[in-house]
Amino acid sequence: MTATFVRMRDQFNSVGRSAHIGIYAFGFTWGAWAALFIATALFCIGIRSKKDNTGRSRWGRKRSVRSRRSYEMGSHRVKEDYS
């Protein structure tokens, strides 16, 4: 992309028209590409991360144990008290 803009700037300047490349616009564009690349790399690393012996990944969301524990202990739901 940058090479194309540089070539076109040179063409415009060779025929007598004023042209310049906006450094802030190109910096913003290349910064956005870099951020996209980093986000994609981190996403792929997150997908392929190994799970520990409990079945959860190291950085993943922790599963709630409150509801599972209440059913394992034999307790009942509060809603069942009103029926």
Side-chain angles (χ1 to χ4, degrees):
M1 177 184 77
T2 304
T4 302
F5 274 86
V6 168
R7 288 184 65 198
M8 294 314 300
R9 179 203 59 191
D10 294 342
Q11 290 291 327
F12 272 101
N13 287 335
S14 69
V15 294
R17 300 196 77 150
S18 174
H20 68 279
I21 296 177
I23 58 173
Y24 294 112
F26 273 100
F28 183 80
T29 302
W30 283 111
W33 277 109
L36 178 66
F37 177 75
I38 291 168
T40 303
L42 291 175
F43 179 73
C44 291
I45 289 170
I47 287 175
R48 298 190 50 89
S49 68
K50 294 184 178 183
K51 297 181 186 283
D52 61 6
N53 56 3
T54 62
R56 295 184 313 210
S57 65
R58 289 182 291 187
W59 299 301
R61 192 176 124 200
K62 307 278 187 284
R63 295 181 97 183
S64 173
V65 294
R66 173 181 263 169
S67 61
R68 187 173 60 213
R69 187 182 321 149
S70 66
Y71 286 115
E72 289 173 358
M73 296 173 74
S75 64
H76 57 279
R77 294 171 45 190
V78 174
K79 185 178 178 181
E80 293 172 356
D81 289 340
Y82 296 108
S83 59

Coordinates of all heavy atoms in Angstrom, one line a residue:
M1 N 0.8 -1.2 0.0 CA 0.0 0.0 0.0 C 0.9 1.3 0.0 O 0.6 2.2 -0.8 CB -0.9 0.0 1.2 CG -1.8 1.2 1.4 SD -2.7 1.2 2.9 CE -1.5 1.6 4.1
T2 N 1.9 1.3 0.9 CA 2.7 2.4 0.9 C 3.5 2.6 -0.4 O 3.7 3.8 -0.9 CB 3.7 2.3 2.1 OG1 3.0 2.1 3.3 CG2 4.6 3.5 2.3
A3 N 4.0 1.5 -0.9 CA 4.7 1.6 -2.2 C 3.9 2.2 -3.3 O 4.3 3.0 -4.1 CB 5.3 0.2 -2.6
T4 N 2.6 1.8 -3.4 CA 1.7 2.3 -4.4 C 1.5 3.8 -4.2 O 1.6 4.6 -5.2 CB 0.4 1.6 -4.3 OG1 0.6 0.2 -4.5 CG2 -0.6 2.1 -5.4
F5 N 1.3 4.3 -3.0 CA 1.1 5.7 -2.7 C 2.4 6.5 -3.1 O 2.3 7.6 -3.6 CB 0.7 5.9 -1.3 CG -0.8 5.8 -1.1 CD1 -1.4 4.6 -0.9 CD2 -1.6 7.0 -1.2 CE1 -2.7 4.5 -0.7 CE2 -2.9 6.9 -1.0 CZ -3.5 5.6 -0.8
V6 N 3.6 5.9 -2.8 CA 4.8 6.6 -3.1 C 5.0 6.7 -4.6 O 5.4 7.8 -5.1 CB 6.0 5.9 -2.4 CG1 7.3 6.4 -3.0 CG2 6.0 6.0 -0.9
R7 N 4.7 5.7 -5.3 CA 4.8 5.7 -6.8 C 3.8 6.8 -7.4 O 4.2 7.5 -8.3 CB 4.5 4.4 -7.4 CG 5.7 3.4 -7.1 CD 5.4 2.1 -7.8 NE 5.4 2.2 -9.3 CZ 4.9 1.3 -10.1 NH1 4.4 0.2 -9.7 NH2 5.0 1.6 -11.4
M8 N 2.6 6.8 -6.9 CA 1.6 7.8 -7.4 C 2.0 9.2 -7.0 O 1.8 10.1 -7.8 CB 0.2 7.4 -6.9 CG -0.3 6.1 -7.4 SD -0.1 5.8 -9.2 CE -1.0 7.2 -9.9
R9 N 2.6 9.4 -5.8 CA 3.1 10.7 -5.4 C 4.1 11.2 -6.4 O 4.1 12.3 -6.9 CB 3.6 10.7 -4.0 CG 4.1 12.1 -3.6 CD 5.1 12.0 -2.5 NE 6.3 11.2 -2.9 CZ 7.2 10.7 -2.1 NH1 7.1 11.0 -0.8 NH2 8.2 10.0 -2.5
D10 N 5.1 10.3 -6.7 CA 6.1 10.6 -7.7 C 5.6 10.9 -9.1 O 6.0 11.8 -9.7 CB 7.1 9.5 -7.8 CG 7.9 9.3 -6.5 OD1 7.9 10.2 -5.6 OD2 8.5 8.2 -6.3
Q11 N 4.5 10.2 -9.5 CA 3.9 10.5 -10.8 C 3.2 11.8 -10.8 O 3.4 12.6 -11.8 CB 2.9 9.4 -11.1 CG 3.5 8.0 -11.5 CD 4.2 8.1 -12.8 OE1 3.8 8.8 -13.7 NE2 5.3 7.3 -12.9
F12 N 2.5 12.2 -9.7 CA 1.9 13.5 -9.6 C 2.9 14.6 -9.6 O 2.8 15.6 -10.3 CB 1.0 13.6 -8.4 CG -0.4 13.1 -8.5 CD1 -0.7 11.8 -8.1 CD2 -1.3 13.9 -9.1 CE1 -2.0 11.4 -8.2 CE2 -2.6 13.4 -9.3 CZ -3.0 12.2 -8.8
N13 N 4.0 14.4 -8.9 CA 5.0 15.4 -8.8 C 5.8 15.6 -10.2 O 6.2 16.7 -10.5 CB 6.1 15.1 -7.7 CG 5.5 15.3 -6.3 OD1 4.6 16.1 -6.2 ND2 6.0 14.6 -5.4
S14 N 5.9 14.5 -10.9 CA 6.6 14.5 -12.2 C 5.8 15.3 -13.3 O 6.4 15.9 -14.2 CB 6.9 13.2 -12.7 OG 5.7 12.5 -13.1
V15 N 4.5 15.4 -13.1 CA 3.7 16.1 -14.1 C 3.3 17.5 -13.6 O 2.5 18.2 -14.2 CB 2.4 15.4 -14.5 CG1 2.7 14.1 -15.2 CG2 1.5 15.1 -13.3
G16 N 4.0 17.9 -12.5 CA 3.8 19.3 -12.0 C 2.7 19.5 -11.0 O 2.3 20.6 -10.7
R17 N 2.1 18.4 -10.5 CA 1.0 18.6 -9.5 C 1.6 18.4 -8.1 O 2.5 17.5 -8.0 CB -0.1 17.6 -9.8 CG -0.7 17.7 -11.2 CD -2.0 17.0 -11.3 NE -3.0 17.8 -10.5 CZ -4.2 17.9 -10.8 NH1 -4.7 17.1 -11.8 NH2 -5.1 18.6 -10.2
S18 N 1.1 19.1 -7.2 CA 1.6 18.9 -5.8 C 1.0 17.7 -5.1 O -0.2 17.5 -5.2 CB 1.3 20.2 -5.0 OG 1.6 20.0 -3.7
A19 N 1.8 16.9 -4.5 CA 1.3 15.7 -3.8 C 2.3 15.4 -2.7 O 3.5 15.6 -2.8 CB 1.2 14.5 -4.7
H20 N 1.8 14.9 -1.6 CA 2.6 14.5 -0.5 C 1.9 13.3 0.2 O 0.7 13.2 0.1 CB 2.9 15.6 0.5 CG 1.7 16.1 1.2 ND1 0.8 17.0 0.7 CD2 1.3 15.8 2.5 CE1 -0.1 17.3 1.6 NE2 0.1 16.6 2.7
I21 N 2.6 12.6 1.0 CA 2.1 11.5 1.7 C 1.8 11.9 3.1 O 2.7 12.4 3.8 CB 3.0 10.3 1.7 CG1 3.2 9.8 0.2 CG2 2.5 9.1 2.5 CD1 4.2 8.7 0.1
G22 N 0.6 11.7 3.6 CA 0.3 12.0 5.0 C 0.9 11.0 6.0 O 0.5 9.9 6.0
I23 N 1.9 11.5 6.8 CA 2.6 10.5 7.7 C 1.7 10.1 8.8 O 1.8 8.9 9.3 CB 3.9 11.1 8.2 CG1 3.6 12.4 9.0 CG2 4.9 11.3 7.1 CD1 4.9 12.9 9.7
Y24 N 0.8 10.9 9.3 CA -0.1 10.5 10.4 C -1.1 9.5 9.9 O -1.5 8.5 10.6 CB -0.8 11.7 10.9 CG 0.1 12.7 11.7 CD1 0.4 13.9 11.2 CD2 0.8 12.3 12.8 CE1 1.3 14.8 11.8 CE2 1.6 13.1 13.5 CZ 1.9 14.3 13.0 OH 2.8 15.2 13.6
A25 N -1.6 9.6 8.7 CA -2.6 8.7 8.1 C -1.9 7.3 7.9 O -2.5 6.3 8.3 CB -3.2 9.2 6.8
F26 N -0.7 7.3 7.4 CA 0.0 6.1 7.2 C 0.4 5.4 8.6 O 0.3 4.2 8.7 CB 1.2 6.2 6.3 CG 0.9 6.1 4.9 CD1 0.7 7.2 4.1 CD2 0.7 4.9 4.3 CE1 0.4 7.1 2.8 CE2 0.4 4.7 3.0 CZ 0.3 5.9 2.2
G27 N 0.8 6.2 9.5 CA 1.1 5.7 10.9 C -0.2 5.1 11.5 O -0.1 4.0 12.1
F28 N -1.3 5.7 11.3 CA -2.5 5.2 11.9 C -2.9 3.9 11.2 O -3.3 2.9 11.8 CB -3.7 6.2 11.7 CG -5.0 5.7 12.3 CD1 -5.2 5.8 13.7 CD2 -6.0 5.2 11.5 CE1 -6.4 5.4 14.2 CE2 -7.2 4.8 12.1 CZ -7.4 4.9 13.4
T29 N -2.7 3.8 9.9 CA -3.1 2.6 9.1 C -2.2 1.5 9.5 O -2.6 0.4 9.7 CB -2.9 2.9 7.6 OG1 -3.8 4.0 7.3 CG2 -3.3 1.7 6.8
W30 N -0.8 1.7 9.5 CA 0.1 0.7 9.9 C -0.1 0.2 11.4 O 0.1 -0.9 11.7 CB 1.5 1.1 9.6 CG 1.8 1.0 8.1 CD1 2.1 2.0 7.3 CD2 1.9 -0.2 7.4 NE1 2.3 1.5 6.0 CE2 2.2 0.1 6.0 CE3 1.7 -1.6 7.6 CZ2 2.3 -0.8 5.0 CZ3 1.9 -2.5 6.6 CH2 2.1 -2.1 5.3
G31 N -0.4 1.2 12.2 CA -0.7 0.8 13.6 C -2.0 -0.1 13.7 O -2.0 -1.0 14.5
A32 N -3.0 0.2 12.9 CA -4.2 -0.6 12.9 C -3.9 -2.0 12.4 O -4.4 -3.0 13.0 CB -5.3 0.0 12.0
W33 N -3.0 -2.1 11.4 CA -2.6 -3.4 10.9 C -1.8 -4.2 12.0 O -2.0 -5.4 12.1 CB -1.8 -3.3 9.6 CG -2.6 -3.2 8.4 CD1 -2.8 -2.1 7.6 CD2 -3.5 -4.2 7.8 NE1 -3.7 -2.3 6.6 CE2 -4.1 -3.6 6.6 CE3 -3.7 -5.5 8.1 CZ2 -4.9 -4.3 5.8 CZ3 -4.6 -6.2 7.3 CH2 -5.2 -5.6 6.2
A34 N -1.0 -3.5 12.7 CA -0.2 -4.2 13.7 C -1.1 -4.6 14.8 O -0.9 -5.8 15.3 CB 0.9 -3.2 14.3
A35 N -2.1 -3.8 15.2 CA -3.0 -4.2 16.3 C -3.8 -5.4 15.8 O -4.1 -6.3 16.6 CB -3.9 -3.1 16.6
L36 N -4.3 -5.4 14.6 CA -5.0 -6.6 14.0 C -4.2 -7.8 14.1 O -4.6 -8.9 14.4 CB -5.5 -6.3 12.6 CG -6.3 -7.4 11.9 CD1 -7.6 -7.7 12.6 CD2 -6.5 -7.1 10.5
F37 N -2.9 -7.7 13.7 CA -2.0 -8.9 13.7 C -1.8 -9.4 15.1 O -1.9 -10.6 15.4 CB -0.7 -8.5 13.1 CG 0.3 -9.6 13.1 CD1 0.2 -10.7 12.3 CD2 1.4 -9.6 14.0 CE1 1.1 -11.8 12.3 CE2 2.3 -10.6 14.1 CZ 2.2 -11.7 13.2
I38 N -1.6 -8.5 16.1 CA -1.4 -8.9 17.5 C -2.6 -9.6 18.0 O -2.6 -10.6 18.7 CB -0.9 -7.7 18.3 CG1 0.5 -7.3 17.9 CG2 -1.0 -8.1 19.8 CD1 0.9 -6.0 18.5
A39 N -3.8 -9.0 17.7 CA -5.1 -9.6 18.2 C -5.3 -11.0 17.6 O -5.7 -11.9 18.3 CB -6.2 -8.7 17.9
T40 N -5.0 -11.1 16.3 CA -5.1 -12.4 15.7 C -4.2 -13.5 16.3 O -4.6 -14.6 16.6 CB -4.9 -12.3 14.2 OG1 -5.8 -11.4 13.6 CG2 -5.1 -13.7 13.5
A41 N -2.9 -13.1 16.5 CA -2.0 -14.0 17.1 C -2.4 -14.4 18.5 O -2.4 -15.6 18.9 CB -0.6 -13.3 17.2
L42 N -2.9 -13.5 19.3 CA -3.3 -13.8 20.7 C -4.6 -14.7 20.7 O -4.7 -15.6 21.5 CB -3.6 -12.5 21.5 CG -2.3 -11.7 21.9 CD1 -2.7 -10.4 22.5 CD2 -1.4 -12.6 22.7
F43 N -5.5 -14.4 19.7 CA -6.7 -15.2 19.6 C -6.3 -16.7 19.2 O -6.8 -17.6 19.8 CB -7.5 -14.7 18.5 CG -8.8 -15.4 18.2 CD1 -9.8 -15.4 19.2 CD2 -9.0 -16.2 17.1 CE1 -11.0 -16.1 19.0 CE2 -10.1 -16.9 16.9 CZ -11.1 -16.9 17.8
C44 N -5.3 -16.9 18.3 CA -4.9 -18.2 17.9 C -4.2 -18.9 19.1 O -4.4 -20.1 19.3 CB -4.0 -18.2 16.7 SG -4.9 -17.7 15.2
I45 N -3.4 -18.2 19.8 CA -2.7 -18.7 21.0 C -3.8 -19.2 22.0 O -3.7 -20.2 22.7 CB -1.7 -17.7 21.6 CG1 -0.5 -17.6 20.7 CG2 -1.3 -18.2 23.0 CD1 0.4 -16.4 21.1
G46 N -4.8 -18.3 22.2 CA -5.9 -18.7 23.2 C -6.7 -19.9 22.8 O -7.1 -20.7 23.6
I47 N -6.9 -20.1 21.5 CA -7.6 -21.3 21.0 C -6.8 -22.5 21.3 O -7.3 -23.6 21.7 CB -8.0 -21.1 19.6 CG1 -9.1 -20.1 19.4 CG2 -8.4 -22.5 19.0 CD1 -9.4 -19.8 17.9
R48 N -5.5 -22.4 21.0 CA -4.7 -23.6 21.0 C -4.0 -23.9 22.4 O -3.2 -24.8 22.5 CB -3.6 -23.5 20.0 CG -4.2 -23.5 18.6 CD -3.2 -23.6 17.5 NE -2.3 -24.7 17.7 CZ -2.5 -26.0 17.2 NH1 -3.6 -26.2 16.6 NH2 -1.6 -26.9 17.4
S49 N -4.4 -23.1 23.4 CA -3.7 -23.2 24.7 C -4.1 -24.6 25.3 O -5.3 -25.0 25.1 CB -4.1 -22.1 25.6 OG -5.5 -22.2 26.0
K50 N -3.2 -25.2 26.0 CA -3.5 -26.5 26.5 C -4.3 -26.4 27.8 O -4.2 -25.4 28.5 CB -2.2 -27.2 26.9 CG -1.4 -27.6 25.6 CD -0.2 -28.4 26.0 CE 0.6 -28.7 24.7 NZ 1.7 -29.5 25.0
K51 N -5.1 -27.4 28.0 CA -6.0 -27.4 29.2 C -5.2 -28.1 30.3 O -4.5 -29.0 30.1 CB -7.3 -28.0 29.0 CG -8.1 -27.3 27.9 CD -9.4 -28.0 27.7 CE -10.2 -27.3 26.6 NZ -10.8 -26.1 26.9
D52 N -5.4 -27.6 31.6 CA -4.8 -28.3 32.7 C -5.6 -29.6 33.1 O -6.5 -29.9 32.4 CB -4.6 -27.4 33.9 CG -5.9 -26.9 34.4 OD1 -7.0 -27.3 33.9 OD2 -5.9 -26.0 35.3
N53 N -5.2 -30.2 34.1 CA -5.8 -31.5 34.4 C -7.2 -31.4 34.9 O -7.9 -32.5 35.0 CB -5.0 -32.3 35.5 CG -4.8 -31.4 36.8 OD1 -5.3 -30.3 36.8 ND2 -4.0 -31.9 37.7
T54 N -7.8 -30.3 35.2 CA -9.2 -30.1 35.5 C -10.1 -29.9 34.3 O -11.3 -29.8 34.5 CB -9.4 -29.0 36.5 OG1 -9.0 -27.7 35.9 CG2 -8.6 -29.2 37.8
G55 N -9.5 -29.8 33.2 CA -10.3 -29.5 32.0 C -10.5 -28.1 31.6 O -11.1 -27.7 30.6
R56 N -9.9 -27.2 32.4 CA -10.0 -25.8 32.1 C -8.7 -25.3 31.5 O -7.6 -25.8 31.8 CB -10.3 -25.0 33.4 CG -11.6 -25.3 34.1 CD -11.7 -24.4 35.3 NE -10.6 -24.4 36.1 CZ -10.6 -24.2 37.4 NH1 -11.7 -24.1 38.0 NH2 -9.5 -24.2 38.1
S57 N -8.8 -24.3 30.7 CA -7.6 -23.7 30.2 C -7.0 -22.7 31.2 O -7.7 -22.3 32.2 CB -7.9 -22.9 28.9 OG -8.7 -21.8 29.1
R58 N -5.8 -22.4 31.0 CA -5.1 -21.5 32.0 C -5.7 -20.1 32.1 O -5.8 -19.6 33.1 CB -3.6 -21.4 31.7 CG -2.9 -22.7 31.9 CD -1.4 -22.6 31.6 NE -1.3 -22.4 30.2 CZ -0.2 -22.3 29.5 NH1 1.0 -22.4 30.2 NH2 -0.1 -22.2 28.2
W59 N -6.0 -19.6 30.9 CA -6.5 -18.2 30.9 C -8.0 -18.1 30.7 O -8.6 -17.0 30.7 CB -5.8 -17.4 29.8 CG -4.4 -17.4 30.0 CD1 -3.7 -16.8 31.0 CD2 -3.4 -17.9 29.1 NE1 -2.3 -17.0 30.8 CE2 -2.1 -17.6 29.6 CE3 -3.5 -18.5 27.8 CZ2 -1.0 -18.0 29.0 CZ3 -2.3 -18.9 27.2 CH2 -1.1 -18.6 27.8
G60 N -8.7 -19.2 30.6 CA -10.1 -19.2 30.3 C -11.0 -18.8 31.4 O -10.5 -18.6 32.6
R61 N -12.2 -18.8 31.2 CA -13.2 -18.4 32.2 C -13.3 -19.5 33.2 O -13.4 -20.7 32.8 CB -14.5 -18.2 31.5 CG -15.6 -17.5 32.3 CD -16.8 -17.3 31.5 NE -17.9 -18.0 32.1 CZ -19.0 -18.3 31.6 NH1 -19.2 -18.1 30.3 NH2 -19.9 -18.9 32.3
K62 N -13.4 -19.2 34.4 CA -13.6 -20.2 35.5 C -15.1 -20.6 35.6 O -15.9 -19.7 35.5 CB -13.1 -19.6 36.8 CG -11.7 -19.0 36.8 CD -10.7 -20.1 37.0 CE -9.3 -19.6 37.2 NZ -8.7 -19.1 36.0
R63 N -15.3 -21.8 35.6 CA -16.7 -22.3 35.7 C -17.2 -22.1 37.2 O -16.5 -22.2 38.1 CB -16.8 -23.8 35.4 CG -16.4 -24.1 34.0 CD -16.5 -25.5 33.7 NE -17.9 -25.7 33.1 CZ -18.3 -26.9 32.8 NH1 -17.6 -28.0 33.0 NH2 -19.5 -27.0 32.2
S64 N -18.5 -21.8 37.3 CA -19.1 -21.6 38.6 C -19.2 -23.0 39.3 O -19.7 -23.9 38.7 CB -20.5 -21.0 38.4 OG -21.1 -20.9 39.6
V65 N -18.9 -23.0 40.5 CA -19.0 -24.2 41.3 C -20.2 -24.2 42.2 O -20.5 -25.2 42.8 CB -17.7 -24.6 42.1 CG1 -16.6 -24.9 41.1 CG2 -17.4 -23.5 43.0
R66 N -20.8 -23.1 42.4 CA -21.9 -22.9 43.4 C -23.1 -23.8 43.0 O -23.6 -24.5 43.8 CB -22.3 -21.4 43.4 CG -23.5 -21.2 44.3 CD -23.9 -19.8 44.3 NE -23.4 -19.2 45.5 CZ -23.3 -17.9 45.8 NH1 -23.8 -17.1 44.9 NH2 -22.8 -17.5 46.9
S67 N -23.6 -23.7 41.8 CA -24.7 -24.5 41.4 C -24.4 -26.0 41.4 O -25.2 -26.8 41.8 CB -25.3 -24.0 40.1 OG -24.3 -24.3 39.1
R68 N -23.3 -26.4 40.9 CA -22.9 -27.8 40.9 C -22.8 -28.3 42.3 O -23.2 -29.4 42.6 CB -21.6 -28.0 40.1 CG -21.3 -29.4 39.8 CD -20.1 -29.6 38.9 NE -19.0 -28.9 39.5 CZ -18.0 -28.4 38.8 NH1 -18.1 -28.3 37.5 NH2 -17.0 -27.8 39.4
R69 N -22.2 -27.6 43.2 CA -22.0 -28.0 44.5 C -23.3 -28.2 45.3 O -23.5 -29.2 46.0 CB -21.1 -27.0 45.3 CG -20.8 -27.6 46.7 CD -19.9 -26.6 47.4 NE -19.0 -25.9 46.6 CZ -18.6 -24.6 46.9 NH1 -19.0 -24.0 47.9 NH2 -17.7 -24.0 46.1
S70 N -24.3 -27.3 45.0 CA -25.6 -27.4 45.7 C -26.3 -28.7 45.3 O -27.0 -29.3 46.1 CB -26.4 -26.2 45.4 OG -26.8 -26.1 44.1
Y71 N -26.2 -29.1 44.0 CA -26.9 -30.3 43.6 C -26.2 -31.6 44.1 O -26.8 -32.6 44.4 CB -27.0 -30.4 42.1 CG -28.0 -29.4 41.6 CD1 -27.7 -28.4 40.8 CD2 -29.4 -29.6 41.9 CE1 -28.7 -27.5 40.3 CE2 -30.3 -28.7 41.4 CZ -30.0 -27.7 40.6 OH -30.9 -26.8 40.2
E72 N -24.8 -31.5 44.2 CA -24.1 -32.7 44.7 C -24.3 -32.9 46.2 O -24.3 -34.0 46.7 CB -22.6 -32.5 44.5 CG -22.2 -32.6 43.0 CD -20.8 -32.2 42.8 OE1 -20.1 -31.8 43.7 OE2 -20.3 -32.3 41.6
M73 N -24.6 -31.8 47.0 CA -24.8 -32.0 48.4 C -26.2 -32.4 48.7 O -26.5 -32.6 49.9 CB -24.4 -30.6 49.1 CG -23.0 -30.3 48.9 SD -22.6 -28.7 49.5 CE -22.6 -28.9 51.3
G74 N -27.1 -32.5 47.8 CA -28.4 -32.9 48.0 C -29.4 -31.8 48.4 O -30.5 -32.1 48.8
S75 N -29.0 -30.6 48.4 CA -29.9 -29.5 48.8 C -30.9 -29.3 47.6 O -30.6 -29.7 46.5 CB -29.1 -28.3 49.1 OG -28.4 -27.8 48.0
H76 N -31.9 -28.6 47.9 CA -32.9 -28.3 46.9 C -33.0 -26.8 46.6 O -32.4 -26.0 47.4 CB -34.3 -28.8 47.4 CG -34.7 -28.2 48.7 ND1 -34.3 -28.7 49.9 CD2 -35.5 -27.2 49.0 CE1 -34.8 -28.0 50.9 NE2 -35.6 -27.0 50.3
R77 N -33.6 -26.5 45.6 CA -33.7 -25.1 45.2 C -34.8 -24.4 46.0 O -35.7 -25.0 46.5 CB -34.1 -25.0 43.7 CG -33.0 -25.5 42.8 CD -33.4 -25.7 41.4 NE -34.1 -24.5 40.9 CZ -34.7 -24.5 39.7 NH1 -34.7 -25.5 38.9 NH2 -35.3 -23.4 39.3
V78 N -34.6 -23.1 46.2 CA -35.6 -22.3 47.0 C -36.9 -22.3 46.3 O -38.0 -22.4 47.0 CB -35.0 -20.9 47.2 CG1 -36.1 -20.0 47.8 CG2 -33.7 -20.9 47.9
K79 N -37.0 -22.3 45.0 CA -38.2 -22.3 44.3 C -39.1 -23.5 44.7 O -40.3 -23.5 44.7 CB -37.9 -22.3 42.8 CG -39.1 -22.2 41.9 CD -38.7 -22.1 40.5 CE -39.9 -22.0 39.6 NZ -39.6 -22.0 38.2
E80 N -38.4 -24.7 45.0 CA -39.2 -25.9 45.3 C -39.9 -25.7 46.6 O -40.8 -26.5 46.9 CB -38.2 -27.1 45.3 CG -37.7 -27.4 43.9 CD -36.6 -28.4 43.9 OE1 -36.2 -28.9 45.0 OE2 -36.2 -28.8 42.9
D81 N -39.4 -24.8 47.5 CA -40.1 -24.6 48.8 C -41.5 -24.1 48.6 O -42.4 -24.3 49.5 CB -39.3 -23.7 49.7 CG -38.0 -24.3 50.2 OD1 -37.9 -25.6 50.2 OD2 -37.1 -23.6 50.6
Y82 N -41.7 -23.3 47.6 CA -43.0 -22.6 47.4 C -44.0 -23.5 46.7 O -45.2 -23.1 46.5 CB -42.8 -21.3 46.7 CG -42.0 -20.4 47.5 CD1 -40.7 -20.0 47.2 CD2 -42.5 -19.8 48.7 CE1 -39.9 -19.2 47.9 CE2 -41.8 -18.9 49.4 CZ -40.5 -18.6 49.1 OH -39.7 -17.8 49.8
S83 N -43.6 -24.6 46.1 CA -44.6 -25.4 45.4 C -45.3 -26.4 46.2 O -45.1 -26.7 47.3 CB -43.9 -26.1 44.2 OG -42.8 -26.9 44.7

